[in-house]
Amino acid sequence: MIIDCHGHYTTVPKALRDFRQQQIDRAAEPSAASLPPPRIGDDEIRQSLEGAQLKSQRERGVDLTIFSPIAGLMGHHIGTRAVSEHWSRVSNDVIHRVCTLYPEKFVGVCQLPQSPGVRPDNCIPELERCVRELGFIGCNLNPDPSGGYWTDPPLTDKWWYPLYEKIVSLDVPAMVHVSSSCNPNFHHTGAHYINGDTTAFMQFLTSDLFRDFPTLKFVIPHGGGAVPFHWGRYEGLAQDMKRPPLGELLLKNVFFDTCVYHQPGIELLLKVVPADNILFASEIYGAVKGVNPRTGFNYDDTKRYIDSIDWLSDGDREKIFHGNVRRVYGRFSASRAARREGAAA
Amino acid sequence: MIIDCHGHYTTVPKALRDFRQQQIDRAAEPSAASLPPPRIGDDEIRQSLEGAQLKSQRERGVDLTIFSPIAGLMGHHIGTRAVSEHWSRVSNDVIHRVCTLYPEKFVGVCQLPQSPGVRPDNCIPELERCVRELGFIGCNLNPDPSGGYWTDPPLTDKWWYPLYEKIVSLDVPAMVHVSSSCNPNFHHTGAHYINGDTTAFMQFLTSDLFRDFPTLKFVIPHGGGAVPFHWGRYEGLAQDMKRPPLGELLLKNVFFDTCVYHQPGIELLLKVVPADNILFASEIYGAVKGVNPRTGFNYDDTKRYIDSIDWLSDGDREKIFHGNVRRVYGRFSASRAARREGAAA
C-alpha cells in the first residue's frame, strides 16, 4: 500500500476561494467571522478531484492521501482570532466532505485557527472537533502565525504546551507547516516553507521539549527543509552543545516527508535519515506543477525517485511507503476502519 | 593551490571582544560611536592564529584563506548607524593587520556598516576604504540587518542598488552572510545562517537583478543553504514562473561555497551544482568545532570530503579549489601580487 502523507486541497472549487477572499476583504469587520459558508455541491467536489488528485493517485500508484486544507491559504496573519476560527472550521469541513465522498482515497488533517500573538490554546476546540467528530488524524501547525516576521515564541516554548497536551492526548501528530508569507523577503514555497522546516528542527534540537512530551510527534515536510543536506552540521552542533546524538535526542519524535523534487535530493535524504523517520509524500498539487524536461515526468512525482533507488531494502521501502504512517499517525488504522464501515453502511 | 574562500577571525584577541561589549553596553549613547579602538599587539594577533587558523591550514593543506570579521559579531541590529560604522572600521582594521602580518596566508574581506532601516549607501565609504586602501577583495553583505525579523527590503530591491553599483565598479563579490539572530525563533548558525542563504537564492530567482547588474557576483555560503538539496524544486519553480533555466538565470552571478559538513552533503552539492559555481571553503573556526566520532576528523574539514570523491575530474577539482576564486574575486590576483611586493619591500 502506498500512502502519501502530505497533500493539500489546492484544487478546491472556486466558491471556497471566493469565500476566503470575502473574508480577507472585510477582515477588520466583525462580519468576517460569521460569513455564511460557501455552498459547494458534491459534484463540484468530485469534479475538482477527479481530474487532479485522484487522477494522479491512479497514474502514480498512490492508494491514499493524507489530505489537508491549502497551506498557503491558511493565512493565520490575516484578521483576528475569530476570523481564523471561522475560516478553519469552513476549511476543515470541506476536507471532511472530501474524505466522506472518498473514504478509501483521502483521510483528513486539519488546519488550526492560529493567530499571531494569540495563545495556541484557542486551537484546542477545533482540533478536538476535527479529530473526534470528523475523524481527522493529524493537524498542520504553523510555527510562524505572523506570516514571515516570526513574532510568536518558538515551538519549544511553554506557550505551546496546552496545545501539545491535547495533541498528545488525542494521539495525533502535527505537521510543521507555515502558510503564505506577507514578508517580501520570503517567497512562500521557495523560501518561507523551507526556512520554517529548518527553523523548527533547530528549535527541537536545542530544547528539552521531548523530555516534557515523550510521545509528541512532528512531521517536518519538504524533506526536512535544509536539514538532511546539513546533517553533519546538526550532528556537530548537537555534539558541541553536549546534547545527546540526534537519534536519541529527536528521532523518536521528529519525522521527515519525501517532498524533495529531484533524484539526488531523495537519495541524500534516504542516505542520512533513518528509514524509520521518513514518510512518503509528494504534496500534490503543491509548489511545483511542471514536468522536468530532462526526465519527462513531474518534478513532484516523488515515488519515481524512491522506486529507482536499488539499494533501498524492501523493509525500508515498506516503512517509507506505509509502515511509518501507521506508527506516526496513531489514529490511522482506527479511522480507516471506521470510515470503511461508514461507507458500507 | 588550495584557497578557502570563507574564514572568519573567530579567534580574535580578547581586547576586540571587550571593545565590542563596551560598545553594546552603551549602544544608546553617542560615545559608543567613538570609543577608542582596542590596543592589540602584533604578538597577540600572531598568537591568536598560530595555534588555530594557521595550524589548521598546515594540517589540512590549505594555502590561503579569504578572511573576514566574525560574522556573528557584526550584529548590525545593535545600536545606531554610527555605532555600526565605528565597529566595522575597527573590525576591518584588525583583519587588515592579520593580512599584513601573513600576506601569504590571508586576504581580507570586509564587514559592512549596515543598520536596519538605513539605506545601504552608508556602506560605500567603508567598502571603498577596505578595497582601495586595505587591499580587501570582497565584502560580506547581510540580507537581514534586523537580525532575524527581516524588516529591510529583499536583496533584489532598488534599495540596494547604489551599493551594488559600487560593488560592481570595484570588481568585488559579496558573500551573502547574516549575522547573529536576536529573534528567539532562530538559532544563529543552525537556522538563521541557513535560512539567509536559502532566502537570498529565491530572491535572486524571482528577480531581474542580474539583468540590471550583469557582472554582480554573490557567493552564497554554507553550500547554498537548502538550495542544492531542493535543486529540483528551484528548477521547477523557475519553470512554472516562466523564468529562464537556473543556469542562464543565475549561475553567471551566483556561487556556492562548500561549507557542508558531511560526505553525502558535499557529494550532492557537487552532483547538482556545476563545478564552475562551487568555491572551496570550510568556515573555520565557525559553526561546528568538534570531531566527528565516526570519521575521526573535524566535521568542518571539508577538504577531506572533496578529496575522497573519485568521480570528480581534475579540472573540476582545480576550479573548486582555486580556479573559481580567481574568477569570482576579480581583485584576487592583483591583490596578492601587491601584497607580496609589500612584504618583500
Side-chain angles (χ1 to χ4, degrees):
Chain A
M1 182 175 193
I2 312 286
I3 303 168
D4 183 331
C5 81
H6 184 184
H8 302 292
Y9 191 10
T10 44
T11 59
V12 284
K14 186 169 170 296
L16 187 68
R17 289 188 187 265
D18 289 347
F19 167 86
R20 178 57 174 167
Q21 192 53 54
Q22 281 177 42
Q23 236 202 352
I24 293 171
D25 291 344
R26 64 182 76 178
E29 299 165 27
S31 67
S34 58
L35 278 179
R39 292 188 181 194
I40 301 171
D42 283 354
D43 277 354
E44 277 179 278
I45 292 179
R46 284 194 196 95
Q47 207 177 0
S48 72
L49 294 162
E50 284 293 347
Q53 282 87 354
L54 288 166
K55 179 163 170 275
S56 292
Q57 283 184 345
R58 283 189 301 270
E59 286 173 359
R60 301 185 186 182
V62 170
D63 297 292
L64 180 141
T65 300
I66 298 181
F67 209 49
S68 61
I70 307 174
L73 220 63
M74 296 190 298
H76 295 117
H77 56 282
I78 300 165
T80 59
R81 157 190 173 157
V83 169
S84 213
E85 287 169 359
H86 187 46
W87 169 230
S88 295
R89 278 191 303 270
V90 168
S91 242
N92 291 328
D93 282 347
V94 174
I95 296 298
H96 178 55
R97 290 186 56 201
V98 169
C99 300
T100 308
L101 285 171
Y102 299 96
E104 299 289 327
K105 291 296 174 187
F106 297 102
V107 53
V109 153
C110 64
Q111 96 180 34
L112 295 172
Q114 298 177 248
S115 194
V118 174
R119 292 199 161 270
D121 313 41
N122 84 311
C123 299
I124 293 175
E126 179 61 4
L127 174 64
E128 197 139 29
R129 182 182 82 94
C130 289
V131 174
R132 294 204 193 278
E133 295 174 27
L134 309 186
F136 285 20
I137 62 169
C139 59
N140 290 334
L141 184 66
N142 185 346
D144 171 31
S146 78
Y149 291 98
W150 294 87
T151 48
D152 274 10
L155 287 180
T156 48
D157 192 279
K158 293 204 159 51
W159 173 261
W160 302 89
Y161 275 28
L163 179 57
Y164 294 157
E165 278 163 22
K166 181 53 66 180
I167 283 176
V168 162
S169 81
L170 289 172
D171 195 15
V172 293
M175 179 175 277
V176 178
H177 208 307
V178 295
S179 183
S180 59
S181 158
C182 61
N183 185 328
N185 280 285
F186 302 125
H187 183 275
H188 66 304
T189 54
H192 192 44
Y193 280 31
I194 306 293
N195 292 351
D197 306 333
T198 308
T199 300
F201 183 83
M202 194 62 199
Q203 291 176 357
F204 299 147
L205 192 157
T206 48
S207 87
D208 290 320
L209 178 61
F210 302 121
R211 206 173 53 190
D212 292 343
F213 292 100
T215 61
L216 181 60
K217 292 190 186 73
F218 289 105
V219 179
I220 304 188
H222 322 111
V227 171
F229 181 47
H230 287 287
W231 197 249
R233 187 179 194 87
Y234 292 102
E235 287 187 313
L237 282 168
Q239 182 177 316
D240 284 358
M241 293 177 201
K242 318 278 182 215
R243 309 280 299 161
L246 297 183
E248 193 182 318
L249 179 63
L250 297 175
L251 296 183
K252 283 187 286 286
N253 307 85
V254 176
F255 302 83
F256 301 86
D257 81 8
T258 65
C259 294
V260 177
Y261 296 157
H262 63 148
Q263 189 70 39
I266 288 283
E267 290 190 12
L268 173 86
L269 173 68
L270 270 59
K271 257 181 221 167
V272 303
V273 175
D276 282 335
N277 292 77
I278 301 174
L279 278 66
F280 171 69
S282 55
E283 198 173 14
I284 56 165
Y285 296 95
V288 176
K289 288 164 195 71
V291 168
N292 184 335
R294 282 197 312 281
T295 65
F297 301 108
N298 284 85
Y299 285 101
D300 65 5
D301 188 354
T302 52
K303 183 163 170 291
R304 285 183 185 273
Y305 307 132
I306 301 170
D307 285 344
S308 77
I309 297 178
D310 55 14
W311 47 260
L312 189 65
S313 73
D314 289 347
D316 285 350
R317 202 176 295 273
E318 284 182 18
K319 285 178 184 173
I320 292 169
F321 279 132
H322 64 91
N324 294 335
V325 160
R326 296 169 203 271
R327 202 157 47 88
V328 175
Y329 293 77
R331 302 177 85 94
F332 178 82
S333 303
S335 142
R336 242 171 104 62
R339 285 171 335 111
R340 273 186 174 154
E341 225 167 84
Chain B
M1 184 175 190
I2 312 287
I3 302 169
D4 183 329
C5 82
H6 185 184
H8 302 292
Y9 191 9
T10 43
T11 58
V12 284
K14 186 170 171 297
L16 187 68
R17 290 189 187 264
D18 289 347
F19 166 87
R20 178 57 174 167
Q21 192 53 53
Q22 280 178 42
Q23 237 201 352
I24 293 171
D25 291 344
R26 64 181 75 178
E29 300 166 27
S31 67
S34 59
L35 277 179
R39 293 190 180 191
I40 301 171
D42 283 354
D43 278 354
E44 276 178 279
I45 292 180
R46 284 195 196 95
Q47 208 178 358
S48 73
L49 295 162
E50 284 293 348
Q53 282 86 354
L54 289 165
K55 179 163 170 274
S56 292
Q57 283 184 345
R58 283 190 301 270
E59 286 173 0
R60 300 185 186 182
V62 171
D63 296 294
L64 181 141
T65 301
I66 298 182
F67 210 50
S68 61
I70 307 174
L73 220 63
M74 297 190 296
H76 295 118
H77 57 282
I78 299 166
T80 60
R81 159 190 172 157
V83 168
S84 213
E85 287 169 359
H86 187 45
W87 169 230
S88 294
R89 279 192 302 272
V90 168
S91 242
N92 290 327
D93 283 347
V94 173
I95 296 297
H96 179 54
R97 289 185 60 199
V98 168
C99 300
T100 308
L101 285 171
Y102 299 96
E104 298 289 327
K105 292 296 173 187
F106 298 101
V107 53
V109 153
C110 65
Q111 95 180 35
L112 295 172
Q114 299 176 247
S115 193
V118 174
R119 290 199 160 270
D121 313 41
N122 84 311
C123 300
I124 293 175
E126 179 61 4
L127 174 64
E128 196 138 32
R129 183 183 81 93
C130 289
V131 173
R132 292 205 194 278
E133 295 174 28
L134 310 186
F136 285 20
I137 63 169
C139 59
N140 290 335
L141 184 67
N142 185 346
D144 171 31
S146 78
Y149 290 97
W150 294 88
T151 49
D152 274 10
L155 287 180
T156 48
D157 192 278
K158 292 203 159 53
W159 173 262
W160 302 89
Y161 275 28
L163 178 58
Y164 294 158
E165 278 164 21
K166 181 53 67 180
I167 282 175
V168 162
S169 81
L170 289 172
D171 194 15
V172 293
M175 179 175 276
V176 178
H177 207 307
V178 296
S179 185
S180 58
S181 158
C182 61
N183 184 328
N185 280 286
F186 302 126
H187 183 275
H188 66 303
T189 54
H192 191 44
Y193 280 31
I194 305 295
N195 292 351
D197 306 332
T198 308
T199 301
F201 184 83
M202 194 63 199
Q203 292 176 357
F204 299 147
L205 192 156
T206 48
S207 88
D208 290 321
L209 178 62
F210 303 120
R211 205 171 56 189
D212 291 343
F213 293 100
T215 61
L216 182 59
K217 292 190 185 75
F218 289 105
V219 180
I220 304 189
H222 322 111
V227 171
F229 180 47
H230 287 286
W231 197 248
R233 186 179 194 87
Y234 293 103
E235 286 186 314
L237 282 167
Q239 183 177 316
D240 284 357
M241 292 178 201
K242 319 277 182 213
R243 309 279 301 161
L246 297 184
E248 193 183 316
L249 179 63
L250 297 176
L251 296 183
K252 285 189 284 287
N253 306 86
V254 176
F255 302 83
F256 300 85
D257 80 7
T258 65
C259 294
V260 178
Y261 297 156
H262 64 148
Q263 188 71 40
I266 288 283
E267 290 189 12
L268 173 87
L269 172 69
L270 270 60
K271 255 181 223 166
V272 302
V273 175
D276 282 336
N277 291 77
I278 300 174
L279 278 65
F280 171 68
S282 55
E283 198 174 11
I284 56 166
Y285 295 97
V288 177
K289 289 164 195 73
V291 167
N292 183 334
R294 281 197 312 280
T295 65
F297 301 109
N298 285 84
Y299 284 100
D300 66 5
D301 188 353
T302 53
K303 184 163 171 292
R304 285 183 185 272
Y305 306 132
I306 300 170
D307 285 344
S308 76
I309 297 178
D310 55 14
W311 47 260
L312 188 66
S313 75
D314 289 347
D316 285 351
R317 202 177 294 273
E318 282 181 19
K319 286 178 183 173
I320 292 168
F321 279 132
H322 64 91
N324 294 336
V325 161
R326 296 169 204 271
R327 202 158 47 88
V328 175
Y329 293 77
R331 301 178 85 94
F332 179 83
S333 303
S335 143
R336 243 172 103 62
R339 284 169 338 110
R340 272 185 173 153
E341 225 168 82

